[in-house]
Amino acid sequence: MSSDVILQTSNLGKHFKRRWAVRHLDLEIHRGDVFGFLGPNGAGKSTTIRMLLSLIRPTEGDVFLFGHSLRTQRQLALKSVGGIVEKPDFYLYLTAYRNLEVVGALNGGTTKRRIFEVLDLVGLGQRAYDKVKTYSHGMKQRLGIAQALLSDPELVVLDEPTSGLDPQGMKEIRDLILHLSRAQKKTILLSSHLLHEVELVATRMAIINKGELVTQGEVKKLLDEGEKYVLLSGEPKKKLELLLRTQRCVQKVEEQTDGFRLAMEFSDIPQLTRTLVRNNIAVHAIIPRRSLEDYFLSLTENDGKL
Amino acid sequence: MARLLYIELIKTFLKKRTFIGFAIVAVIVPLIEIAMKLEGGRFLQATTRSLQQDFFLVGNLFNAWLVSYNMMNSLWVHIPLLISFVAGDMLAGEATAGTYRLILIRPVSRTRILLAKYAATVFYTILFVFFLGALSIGLALPLLGRGDLIVFQHGILILPESDVAWRFLVAYLLAAWMMLTIASLAFFFSSFVENAIGPIVGTMGVLIVSFVIMSIPVELFESMRPYLFMYYTNIWQKVFHDPVPWETLWKDAAVLGAYSLAFLGAAWGIFVRKDILS
Ligand SMILES: Nc1ncnc2c1ncn2[C@@H]1O[C@H](COP(=O)(O)OP(=O)(O)O)[C@@H](O)[C@H]1O
Ligand SMILES: [Mg+2]
């Protein structure tokens, strides 16, 4: 394996009672990636992350972190990894500071200075000596990230870090992830059930469904591959169709129940909009879509039970 | 390892649950001793009146030592319950709180984490038994006064006061050793469940079943007794025999130690393989 691959799973699988939660999973994360690990609810993201962090033992396959097997060299493998799995849980009766002290001791020791560094980074410096009991969900989520960063690891694993947050909270976490990646040069594994979220921050991604890998690669490439089209609806319909068929930037027009499906470049959308408005068309909606998005939506709409 | 033990102690001793036992003992012991003081020698007089006629007894036999001795005899059910409260929560509490996900992803082996947790359990158990002992004697001495200790085991034995203090010290050590076996049992139960109710109920269940087996005079049960660790509950009483049967004492203590080790070993076997799904 190349020295730039810092996390690799080979044929990773976990069998629960009667079914495989994850199977035949081969992931590869390179140094510097923000790796989006995408899948609908129940796809096996958390199960995979539990295996990556040694909380559960794979039924088959193995995980290699920095070239060390998790089965045979667990402590070495986990040395430069920090993470948070599922919801952020802490010792509620202890202060945030004490919680980080506990984690720090397990890292082989930490300092007051480092604890405040990570708390300040996530905006909790002022609340260091409050019991975690008094924290909101969003604050716990941020404390979860602080905890993951405490040992200054190279790889940070975050399992749905924006789940349960309001849009403002989600944006804060996104910005934090981008900061960690760009300013602190961390490699980040980020799981999510929202394609849009992964698209905003990730450089590479993998899609998992029903425990199996669907695809893996650069986010840009995966999104650009396959078909791109625009959904458009407006009034009056007849005039609109006529107009669309005469535009050079529109390669194909297909009528659908609530509008038209156009084959065209996304970069031509502003120009088309101007033309339509100038011709007194009332545009109701104009939505750029990609087949990957459709595909992923079909997974989530069926709740992963395709 | 010291660092791991330190955080386990912090976690244990900043938790309210840990002090329930101390609080209950701090209420019960003074209550019993004050009641004893008020009811006075009546309790003892009934038994000693006849003796007083047969023997030449001097001084105050109803004293701090006797009350403390009886205290140890009467709390054998309560103390295991209170200890299982804490020992049973040691591992299961992390599952309940979801904090296994915080600590078991760090680059420290589960074996070391388990040992640190067990060491904290040992520390708590010893502290608790000695708290009970110190409170019981410390309060009784000014309240009930000193004197020789009269014990009723296979007849009557009167130990002169000068010969008593060290026996109490050793007795509390042995009681702690015994309670450690019970704590280890609760710790073992704690390793495979997700909340502390199971270990508490489990430990008390084992205690009750053991006592039933020990108290029914059936041959089958009688032959089983030496294999039940509860058979050694009263190991500390042997320190008040004269002469002290050291040889049996060491043997009994070794059996208890073996049980503790077995429970710890079983807990280890489960804990290092356990899938963390909480
Ligand atoms: N403890 C368990 N026992 C049995 N099945 C489980 C257990 N935990 C998770 N699963 C199953 O494994 C699958 C993957 O779950 P999970 O990894 O939590 O998905 P995700 O994190 O992608 O939402 C689900 O179908 C879930 O029902
Ligand atoms: Mg999940």
Side-chain angles (χ1 to χ4, degrees), chain A residues 84-285:
Chain A
I84 172 168
V85 189
E86 292 191 4
K87 63 181 172 36
D89 282 319
F90 292 93
Y91 302 99
L92 297 176
Y93 60 96
L94 298 181
T95 63
Y97 183 87
R98 282 252 190 250
N99 271 281
L100 291 188
E101 218 175 29
V102 168
V103 173
L106 296 163
N107 291 335
T110 188
T111 60
K112 184 172 177 175
R113 198 172 138 194
R114 179 63 190 159
I115 289 178
F116 273 95
E117 255 171 41
V118 292
L119 283 175
D120 286 335
L121 183 67
V122 300
L124 289 172
Q126 300 295 315
R127 302 291 301 267
Y129 297 117
D130 288 354
K131 288 187 178 175
V132 177
K133 207 178 345 197
T134 67
Y135 276 29
S136 69
H137 175 71
M139 292 165 75
K140 281 189 212 163
Q141 204 81 311
R142 280 184 280 148
L143 185 58
I145 296 180
Q147 160 280 129
L149 294 171
L150 190 63
S151 67
D152 198 14
E154 268 197 77
L155 174 65
V156 183
V157 178
L158 305 171
D159 188 11
E160 306 216 25
T162 57
S163 83
L165 299 184
D166 56 25
Q168 176 60 25
M170 287 171 110
K171 181 169 184 319
E172 282 172 20
I173 301 275
R174 269 202 304 273
D175 291 346
L176 184 59
I177 290 170
L178 289 173
H179 169 78
L180 291 174
S181 164
R182 287 170 193 167
Q184 302 204 7
K185 305 286 173 235
K186 305 253 179 250
T187 304
I188 294 163
L189 166 58
L190 164 79
S191 82
S192 175
H193 64 275
L194 303 171
L195 175 62
H196 147 81
E197 187 176 69
V198 165
E199 197 185 335
L200 283 174
V201 293
T203 53
R204 284 175 20 93
M205 71 172 178
I207 297 182
I208 181 180
N209 185 40
K210 290 193 287 183
E212 304 206 17
L213 190 66
V214 175
T215 181
Q216 170 170 222
E218 277 178 39
V219 173
K220 265 210 192 80
K221 254 197 204 147
L222 289 175
L223 286 170
D224 286 346
E225 268 171 18
E227 218 185 337
K228 285 196 281 188
Y229 61 90
V230 173
L231 289 178
L232 179 94
S233 65
E235 299 275 348
K237 227 173 163 183
K238 276 271 146 51
K239 188 177 172 192
L240 174 59
E241 184 171 1
L242 220 68
L243 207 57
L244 288 173
R245 293 203 186 278
T246 57
Q247 295 302 308
R248 221 179 318 142
C249 64
V250 180
Q251 281 102 49
K252 210 169 125 199
V253 181
E254 253 175 72
E255 188 165 358
Q256 294 188 329
T257 46
D258 49 355
F260 300 95
R261 180 185 158 127
L262 315 175
M264 62 179 289
E265 287 300 320
F266 291 169
S267 53
D268 291 330
I269 291 177
Q271 195 210 321
L272 178 67
T273 321
R274 268 196 301 276
T275 311
L276 294 179
V277 171
R278 223 180 285 130
N279 284 282
N280 288 324
I281 301 284
V283 177
H284 295 156

Side-chain angles (χ1 to χ4, degrees), chain B residues 250-269:
Chain B
W250 289 131
K251 235 176 63 199
D252 293 358
V255 172
L256 285 173
Y259 265 106
S260 297
L261 260 180
F263 291 140
L264 174 61
W268 176 80

Side-chain angles (χ1 to χ4, degrees), chain B:
Chain B
M1 200 67 205
R3 200 176 269 142
L4 295 187
L5 177 58
Y6 169 72
I7 60 164
E8 287 308 326
L9 289 176
I10 282 192
K11 285 194 277 181
T12 307
F13 284 93
L14 288 178
K15 200 183 269 186
K16 286 204 187 82
R17 169 186 293 266
T18 304
F19 295 96
I20 294 175
F22 287 96
I24 290 177
V25 163
V27 171
I28 288 185
V29 168
L31 216 63
I32 294 178
E33 294 192 347
I34 290 167
M36 290 269 192
K37 165 93 179 168
L38 295 180
E39 286 297 300
R42 235 172 300 164
F43 141 82
L44 186 69
Q45 269 158 22
T47 28
T48 51
R49 192 168 299 130
S50 57
L51 293 173
Q52 227 127 25
Q53 285 153 12
D54 300 336
F55 296 90
F56 180 63
L57 293 177
V58 274
N60 173 21
L61 278 181
F62 181 71
N63 57 37
W65 302 116
L66 181 68
V67 168
S68 294
Y69 176 83
N70 277 310
M71 189 83 71
M72 287 181 85
N73 253 334
S74 58
L75 290 181
W76 65 266
V77 161
H78 314 74
I79 303 305
L81 176 65
L82 296 175
I83 282 178
S84 70
F85 244 69
V86 171
D89 194 49
M90 267 293 161
L91 297 162
E94 305 266 4
T96 313
T99 42
Y100 267 149
R101 279 182 279 119
L102 201 59
I103 61 175
L104 298 186
I105 64 174
R106 305 316 316 153
V108 178
S109 74
R110 288 196 189 180
T111 302
R112 277 159 53 95
I113 290 179
L114 186 87
L115 287 178
K117 283 188 165 291
Y118 188 70
T121 310
V122 172
F123 184 83
Y124 167 81
T125 306
I126 293 173
L127 193 71
F128 187 56
V129 171
F130 275 84
F131 173 73
L132 171 71
L135 187 67
S136 147
I137 294 177
L139 198 66
L141 277 177
L143 203 64
L144 300 158
R146 333 167 133 265
D148 295 343
L149 173 64
I150 177 169
V151 288
F152 308 90
Q153 294 179 8
H154 320 294
I156 290 163
L157 179 67
I158 295 177
L159 298 165
E161 191 180 10
S162 58
D163 194 27
V164 162
W166 72 270
R167 288 182 197 261
F168 269 97
L169 186 65
V170 178
Y172 281 116
L173 273 172
L174 286 167
W177 188 246
M178 165 66 204
M179 289 303 162
L180 195 56
T181 307
I182 289 169
S184 304
L185 177 66
F187 189 80
F188 160 64
F189 283 135
S190 189
S191 68
F192 57 81
V193 294
E194 313 272 279
N195 78 60
I197 306 291
I200 296 168
V201 172
T203 306
M204 294 323 282
V206 169
L207 255 62
I208 290 165
V209 170
S210 307
F211 270 92
V212 167
I213 292 175
M214 276 167 18
S215 55
I216 298 178
V218 179
E219 214 171 290
L220 170 71
F221 286 175
E222 277 170 12
S223 64
M224 283 166 70
R225 282 177 200 169
Y227 302 102
L228 300 172
F229 70 89
M230 287 307 295
Y231 179 68
Y232 304 96
T233 314
N234 294 339
I235 180 173
W236 58 272
Q237 283 183 347
K238 293 183 179 155
V239 184
F240 295 95
H241 292 186
D242 206 37
V244 178
W246 289 110
E247 204 155 308
T248 9
L249 211 64
W250 289 131
K251 235 176 63 199
D252 293 358
V255 172
L256 285 173
Y259 265 106
S260 297
L261 260 180
F263 291 140
L264 174 61
W268 176 80
I270 288 169
F271 186 68
V272 294
R273 281 176 186 78
K274 190 183 172 72
D275 272 350
I276 305 302
L277 298 166
S278 50

Side-chain angles (χ1 to χ4, degrees), chain A residues 53-65:
Chain A
L53 297 175
S54 84
L55 287 175
I56 62 182
R57 193 177 287 258
T59 311
E60 55 179 38
D62 198 356
V63 175
F64 295 89
L65 287 157

